[in-house]
Amino acid sequence: MRSPDTTPPAEETSAGAVTTFDAFARFAHAAPPTPPQPGQAPRSPEERLAYHSQFVTVRTPAIETLSRSVRTLMILGRHQSVTARPSLIVTGPATTGKTTALLEVGRTCHLAHTRRAAPGDDSVPVAYVLVPPGATAKTLAGEFARYLGIPVTTRMTTTQITTAVCHTYAAAGVKLVLIDEIHRLNPRTSSGAEAADWLKDLTERVRATFVYAGIDVTDSAVFTGVRGAQLAGRASLIDCGALPARAGEREPFRELIASLEQALDLHAHRAGSLPKLASYLHERTAGRIGSLSRLIRQAAIEAILDSSERITKTLLDGIALDHLAEEHYRPRNPARRHTRPNGR
């Protein structure tokens, strides 16, 4: 596991907050939170609270795999113009870092384009779209239009919106389209089937690489029926599951904990104490990256607020996590308290 990367914490960025190009560009160019540096003047408690609220993003195996796959597929499909290009689907349980991986890859692509672009180049390399709940062809088309600020009126037909989207995306030079919450698409309903057909049509008309992300996509309605078979036949899967405690000779979860610990800004925390709790933390979080990040960040904030300035097992055990993590942990520990005890 690599050390903390200097990237904004995408998971803490509301996905809905970056669904326009201007907002995505601000996210991509935002100054990243930086861990404490040797010789740096101590930061104030307020600054450290803000830092742990944001925190760093660690490049997980899923981000590494997705980055490499996207780069390869963008080259593979660069001159493919007759049929849809090969695509990717990031799948896995909730809170395992799918949106983080998607946004990090989009950010990397956006910044790489910005560095290469000539002065005055106003092309748009990346589009990020959320599938709306109960998506129809028209509402999905509207989300694509909204990203680039394409005017849409209630009187416009789906065909009219689609024509505007395809023309504008081509003119803007969009090369990578990221579609999040794809599990919301339900081809079993008539409106969902129309939305799935619309999306398939879009992938054939927009010359870009499409990457989808969703919760347990292979078990959802997205892969069912003829439409699901078409998507499955074009897309490679990247499993963004929970991190195992051990993978061969490596201990990826312990490595992740060590990377997060290195980024802490606490005055009295003992280095190496969190990796020693790897088994406990894996049990607490079920190996889910989102749950682990929240637990460590929340513990760091509490350690600053109560002036202890260190994270201990007692402190960690007193923090209530998300329901999924708690349901995983509670049956094995029925006597566990759900509020933090006074003692350390």
Side-chain angles (χ1 to χ4, degrees), residues 218-282:
T218 53
D219 297 327
S220 71
V222 175
F223 267 14
T224 60
V226 174
R227 294 174 178 86
Q230 289 177 326
L231 177 60
R234 293 177 174 178
S236 302
L237 281 179
I238 293 179
D239 189 5
C240 194
L243 277 181
R246 181 175 291 277
E249 297 298 317
R250 295 184 58 194
E251 297 181 77
F253 194 73
R254 186 186 299 270
E255 293 169 7
L256 175 62
I257 294 169
S259 294
L260 293 172
E261 186 185 59
Q262 289 174 17
L264 292 173
D265 194 353
L266 297 174
H267 295 162
H269 183 76
R270 291 195 295 268
S273 60
L274 290 185
K276 292 178 181 178
L277 298 175
S279 296
Y280 161 76
L281 290 170
H282 196 274

Side-chain angles (χ1 to χ4, degrees), residues 34-343:
T34 55
Q37 303 298 315
Q40 181 184 47
R43 291 186 274 202
S44 69
E46 290 75 17
E47 290 173 326
R48 292 188 297 123
L49 288 171
Y51 166 71
H52 288 104
S53 175
Q54 292 181 296
F55 215 40
V56 296
T57 294
V58 174
R59 287 186 69 87
T60 62
I63 292 178
E64 297 284 6
T65 301
L66 182 59
S67 298
R68 184 171 58 253
S69 299
V70 167
R71 183 169 60 248
T72 301
L73 287 191
M74 290 181 74
I75 296 172
L76 179 65
R78 185 175 294 166
H79 301 291
Q80 186 172 333
S81 57
V82 178
T83 58
R85 291 161 174 73
S87 57
L88 290 167
I89 297 178
V90 183
T91 183
T95 72
T96 51
K98 296 177 297 299
T99 295
T100 297
L102 205 64
L103 289 176
E104 170 61 11
V105 168
R107 175 186 178 276
T108 300
C109 181
H110 177 96
L111 293 179
H113 171 82
T114 301
R115 287 192 295 269
R116 295 191 304 264
D121 184 343
D122 59 355
S123 57
V124 177
V126 180
Y128 177 79
V129 174
L130 284 177
V131 175
T136 66
K138 189 170 186 177
T139 59
L140 190 53
E143 289 300 307
F144 275 84
R146 189 167 70 87
Y147 183 81
L148 286 186
I150 302 169
V152 173
T153 66
T154 55
R155 300 183 64 178
M156 292 177 69
T157 65
T158 302
T159 300
Q160 289 172 324
I161 300 172
T162 304
T163 299
V165 165
C166 292
H167 171 77
T168 307
Y169 274 56
V174 175
K175 301 300 181 187
L176 178 63
V177 177
L178 308 174
I179 303 176
D180 209 349
E181 308 288 357
I182 191 65
H183 58 272
R184 291 175 174 174
L185 202 61
N186 185 4
R188 292 173 179 167
T189 67
S190 58
S191 59
E194 290 176 359
D197 287 341
W198 181 88
L199 190 55
K200 175 181 176 293
D201 181 55
L202 187 74
T203 63
E204 294 173 349
R205 297 176 62 180
V206 173
R207 299 185 61 183
T209 297
F210 282 69
V211 182
Y212 311 90
I215 297 174
D216 295 330
V217 174
T218 53
D219 297 327
S220 71
V222 175
F223 267 14
T224 60
V226 174
R227 294 174 178 86
Q230 289 177 326
L231 177 60
R234 293 177 174 178
S236 302
L237 281 179
I238 293 179
D239 189 5
C240 194
L243 277 181
R246 181 175 291 277
E249 297 298 317
R250 295 184 58 194
E251 297 181 77
F253 194 73
R254 186 186 299 270
E255 293 169 7
L256 175 62
I257 294 169
S259 294
L260 293 172
E261 186 185 59
Q262 289 174 17
L264 292 173
D265 194 353
L266 297 174
H267 295 162
H269 183 76
R270 291 195 295 268
S273 60
L274 290 185
K276 292 178 181 178
L277 298 175
S279 296
Y280 161 76
L281 290 170
H282 196 274
E283 186 178 357
R284 279 294 314 271
T285 63
R288 293 186 174 95
I289 297 171
S291 299
L292 176 68
S293 175
R294 173 181 168 178
L295 179 60
I296 291 178
R297 289 167 50 242
Q298 188 168 338
I301 288 171
E302 291 202 20
I304 294 172
L305 292 175
D306 67 15
S307 301
S308 66
E309 294 288 346
R310 63 192 180 101
I311 298 176
T312 64
K313 184 176 182 296
T314 302
L315 174 58
L316 291 166
D317 206 41
I319 295 174
L321 277 177
D322 57 273
H323 183 67
L324 279 176
E326 291 297 332
E327 284 298 299
H328 170 82
Y329 184 59
R330 191 180 303 142
R332 305 183 188 185
N333 301 271
R336 176 177 174 264
R337 288 175 290 184
H338 299 292
T339 57
R340 188 177 57 165
N342 292 327

